[in-house]
Amino acid sequence: MKARVFVMLKNGVLDPQGEAVRHALGALGFDGVQGVRQGKVIELDLAEGTSEETVKEMCEKLLANTVIESYRIEL
């Protein structure tokens, strides 16, 4: 079984990497980009029977810093 975890900074948290990407896109002539938020995708190969609750626990304990990041799980 596979799971994907999408991790993004919460709204209101500054994203300097996203801002750097936005600036670089502008320098390359892509002027229509007004904002960029950067995140990460974590793909997990799980043993059959691993529950979504277990994946949530993984996120809460290690994969996401829940103080400043939110996450979404796809099984």
Side-chain angles (χ1 to χ4, degrees):
M1 181 169 77
K2 291 190 182 285
R4 281 195 181 121
V5 179
F6 299 86
V7 181
M8 295 290 296
L9 289 172
K10 291 181 177 179
N11 289 333
V13 176
L14 295 178
D15 185 353
Q17 289 178 312
E19 186 58 25
V21 170
R22 186 199 62 75
H23 180 71
L25 288 170
L28 292 171
F30 299 104
D31 298 325
V33 180
Q34 295 181 338
V36 175
R37 301 288 287 173
Q38 183 171 323
K40 58 189 171 189
V41 177
I42 301 165
E43 293 188 351
L44 303 169
D45 290 322
L46 303 170
E48 286 300 320
T50 303
S51 69
E52 185 170 355
E53 188 61 36
T54 299
V55 177
K56 182 178 177 184
E57 188 176 349
M58 292 176 192
C59 292
E60 297 284 331
K61 290 186 175 183
L62 177 67
L63 302 179
N65 177 349
T66 57
V67 173
I68 61 169
E69 295 173 321
S70 59
Y71 63 89
R72 178 174 52 90
I73 299 168
E74 276 185 8
L75 296 178

